[in-house]
Amino acid sequence: MYVGFVGLGVMGRPMALNLARAGTRLVVFNRTPARCEPLRAAGAEVAASAGEVFDRAETVILMLADESAVDAVLGRGGPDFAVRVAGHTVVHMGTTSPEYSAALQDDIRAAGGCYVEAPVSGSRVPAEEGQLVAMLAGDDDAVEAVRPLLAPMCRETFGCGSVPGALLMKFSVNLFLITLVTGLTEAFHFADRQGLDPRLLRDVLDAGPMASAVSRMKASKLLDRDFSVQAAAADVLKNNRLIAETARKAGLASPLLDVCHALFGEAVAQGHGGEDMAAVLRALEARSDGTAASARPTPAASDVSAGFQVH
């Protein structure tokens, strides 16, 4: 049996490559055909359309940028939807709102399909190394059937109950990640403007109890001002917005996240959305230099009265 994979972006392509290299019979599709060529070279078959992937594979993994992309691939809202998902297991590995995921599960079940929510923790390098951490939610039978399929991509998998439990767990993890990297970046900015040797700061941090794989990776990028993308600032901003909206709906305070939201919004507005999340340094530098442009809130996250300071 074939496994389908749709969405070969920064994360999706290395994930699919790990599946193909592990011997998974894979059929792939991406809106930009050129991104499929490394998969073809690795032994995967390339479909001419998303519909062809569903024609040939009973389990289809989606690693797509947003909700509209998922709906388009599934043909949701049109006659193609039931044809595509009936008798199939759809594995949603991207990041969307919890409400969207729950509604998608309902629609797929009603059409005769199965649904597994499977977002991952990790950026481009862990994706390349097959070291992602997956969070799984859905019906027990479907989750257990999907779990071994993820092994070439993921170092560990964790069951998170029913949908949208996996996305809510990912939001919790990403809240820590976003605030952690922003704090690390601010520390390097502070040391630099105080005339300290940033490499010495790196060494001191690395020797102490706060060192982690994330701090080591991002400290190296900050030292070298290397903003080549591992996790894009625009994607971090999207995640930040989704987490903030979820917190707001639950009446939860998220003051650290709100500050990060503003900073990443400023970095993206300055044109750094395609750079790594360490490029939030640009927003800090602009604020210190007095050159930060006034920011405008996005309509989806502009409820300042609810305690969310947005970009």
Side-chain angles (χ1 to χ4, degrees):
M1 299 301 297
Y2 280 94
V3 172
F5 199 110
V6 181
L8 303 175
V10 171
M11 295 287 290
R13 184 159 66 173
M15 291 166 66
L17 279 169
N18 283 328
L19 283 176
R21 290 165 181 162
T24 306
R25 296 187 68 195
L26 202 62
V27 56
V28 304
F29 173 74
N30 193 74
R31 186 176 58 181
T32 305
R35 297 197 66 82
C36 297
E37 292 311 308
L39 273 298
R40 193 194 305 274
E45 298 189 23
V46 178
S49 66
E52 183 184 341
V53 174
F54 284 88
D55 289 340
R56 298 177 61 186
E58 288 188 4
T59 299
V60 179
I61 296 170
L62 306 180
M63 190 61 179
L64 296 164
D66 53 33
E67 297 166 5
S68 62
V70 174
D71 286 346
V73 164
L74 295 176
R76 194 168 177 218
D80 291 340
F81 178 73
V83 175
R84 290 188 183 176
V85 304
H88 291 75
T89 297
V90 177
V91 184
H92 172 36
M93 299 193 76
T95 305
T96 57
S97 74
E99 294 83 2
Y100 172 85
S101 184
L104 180 59
Q105 175 181 244
D106 290 344
D107 288 351
I108 289 173
R109 283 176 170 173
C114 294
Y115 178 76
V116 175
E117 189 181 77
V120 293
S121 177
S123 57
R124 176 179 57 81
V125 172
E128 292 171 346
E129 296 174 348
Q131 295 293 302
L132 297 170
V133 175
M135 293 144 278
L136 309 179
D139 292 338
D140 290 344
D141 290 348
V143 166
E144 291 311 309
V146 165
R147 194 188 295 269
L149 175 62
L150 305 183
M153 301 183 287
C154 300
R155 175 169 52 84
E156 290 194 59
T157 59
F158 292 90
C160 298
S162 59
V163 173
L167 274 168
L168 291 172
M169 184 63 72
K170 168 152 187 187
F171 285 3
S172 301
V173 170
N174 277 9
L175 196 160
F176 177 53
L177 172 67
I178 292 167
T179 55
L180 172 70
V181 173
T182 306
L184 179 71
T185 304
E186 186 171 326
F188 271 85
H189 176 60
F190 177 86
D192 176 61
R193 294 300 174 97
Q194 294 291 339
L196 302 177
D197 179 356
R199 297 188 182 278
L200 181 58
L201 172 61
R202 185 267 318 272
D203 294 342
V204 171
L205 287 172
D206 200 35
M210 294 176 291
S212 68
V214 170
S215 71
R216 291 179 176 120
M217 181 181 296
K218 296 306 181 186
S220 294
K221 295 183 79 64
L222 290 164
L223 282 171
D224 298 334
R225 296 189 70 87
D226 169 19
F227 301 124
S228 58
V229 68
Q230 292 173 339
D235 291 336
V236 172
L237 179 61
K238 182 195 86 166
N239 275 262
N240 199 317
R241 175 181 58 80
L242 288 170
I243 302 166
E245 289 174 350
T246 301
R248 180 173 61 214
K249 289 172 184 174
L252 302 177
S254 57
L256 296 180
L257 184 71
D258 301 339
V259 171
C260 295
H261 197 167
L263 287 167
F264 277 96
E266 290 165 25
V268 170
Q270 292 165 15
H272 306 298
E275 298 177 352
D276 188 72
M277 67 185 299
V280 73
L281 176 65
R282 314 267 203 186
L284 290 165
E285 290 174 337
R287 285 194 182 193
S288 292
D289 296 337
T291 59
S294 60
R296 292 178 296 177
T298 59
S302 58
D303 190 1
V304 177
S305 65
F308 289 88
Q309 301 296 323
V310 296
H311 68 284

